[in-house]
Amino acid sequence: MTSRGLEQAEAALASAGLAEPVEHVSVLPALRKLLTGLRRGQVVSVSGTGMLPLALLAGASAAGAWCAVVGMPEFGVLAAADMGADLDRVVLVVDPGEQWAEVVAVLLTAAEVVLVRPPVQVTGQLARRLVALARRHGSALVVLGEWEGAQTRLRVASSLWVGVEHGGGYLRGQRVRVEASGRGASARPRSVWLWLPGPDGSVSGADLAALEVAG
C-alpha cells in the first residue's frame, strides 16, 4: 500500500501533463481581503475545521494552476467543484501511507499548490527539505495544522450554520470568520466573514446584512 501511494503520485503527474507555472497562484475573490494570492515557494498553515482548504484549492485550480491533495480521504470533491474548482487540474493521493513525505516531495516538483495533512508534526530536516523544494520549484505548500515558520497562517475563528429553525428545516449555508496572520508582508492580522459555503455552494463575503437576508 505504501509503495502504491508513491506510484500513484508519479503516474498521475506523468499522465496529466504539466503547464507552465503562473506568476502568482490565485485565490477566490472572496478571500482576497485575507490573501492577495498563494505565494509561491512559501508555506500556508490552516487551522480549525471547515472548508477553507477546499476554497484555497478551488481558486488556484480555477485559475489554471495544477494542484495536489495528499492524505485527505475526507476531501470533498463535490464541495470543491461547487466552489469553482477545476477537478481536471487536481491530483488526489488519498492514502500515501508511510511514504507521505516522499509523495509530497514528488508533487512539489510539479504542482503549483500542494495541500497536505501530515500524519505527524513536521519539524527539523524534513520540514526544511520540503520548504526548499517548494522554493526551488515555485510551489505553494498548504498544510492542515501547525507548521513552524509558516509565512502565512489562516484560522477559522468561528462558524455558524444558517437554515435550521427550532430543529427543522435545511442547512442553507455556513457563515465563518477567517483570521489571517503571518510574517513579513503578511504580519498585519486580518479577518473577514465569509459564506463557506453559501446556499449555492459557492464562497462569498458574509457581512451581517447578508446574514439577515439569508434568514
Side-chain angles (χ1 to χ4, degrees):
M1 178 179 295
T2 58
S3 61
R4 188 162 59 243
L6 182 57
E7 292 170 1
Q8 180 184 0
E10 293 172 336
L13 289 173
S15 63
L18 300 177
E20 290 297 322
V22 294
E23 184 177 357
H24 302 288
V25 184
S26 298
V27 295
L28 294 172
L31 298 176
R32 289 174 189 165
K33 290 184 179 180
L34 293 170
L35 300 166
T36 56
L38 294 173
R39 299 187 64 181
R40 296 170 60 191
Q42 295 194 356
V43 179
V44 177
S45 68
V46 182
S47 62
T49 59
M51 298 186 179
L52 181 57
L54 276 66
L56 294 173
L57 183 141
S61 63
W66 283 100
C67 302
V69 182
V70 182
M72 291 182 60
E74 76 283 8
F75 180 81
V77 173
L78 294 179
D82 286 341
M83 292 180 187
D86 182 351
L87 298 180
D88 290 335
R89 306 188 75 84
V90 178
V91 175
L92 296 176
V93 182
V94 175
D95 182 12
E98 295 179 358
Q99 289 186 311
W100 71 269
E102 288 79 5
V103 170
V104 172
V106 168
L107 294 169
L108 283 171
T109 66
E112 295 182 63
V113 177
V114 178
L115 171 61
V116 59
R117 185 199 299 277
V120 296
Q121 182 77 32
V122 181
T123 59
Q125 184 177 356
L126 176 56
R128 292 190 293 271
R129 175 194 170 206
L130 294 178
V131 171
L133 281 171
R135 289 174 178 169
R136 185 179 310 145
H137 296 280
S139 302
L141 179 58
V142 181
V143 180
L144 272 63
E146 288 298 318
W147 185 284
E148 184 178 352
Q151 286 81 9
T152 302
R153 290 181 169 84
L154 301 177
R155 184 174 76 94
V156 177
S158 59
S159 64
L160 171 67
W161 281 98
V162 174
V164 177
E165 299 177 0
H166 306 294
Y170 297 93
L171 294 173
R172 299 181 57 193
Q174 183 179 208
R175 183 174 180 263
V176 303
R177 182 166 65 90
V178 181
E179 297 177 345
S181 61
R183 303 188 304 169
S186 303
R188 181 177 59 85
R190 305 166 301 286
S191 67
V192 64
W193 283 96
L194 300 171
W195 285 114
L196 191 62
D200 61 353
S202 65
V203 182
S204 60
D207 55 19
L208 289 175
L211 181 62
E212 292 174 357
V213 170

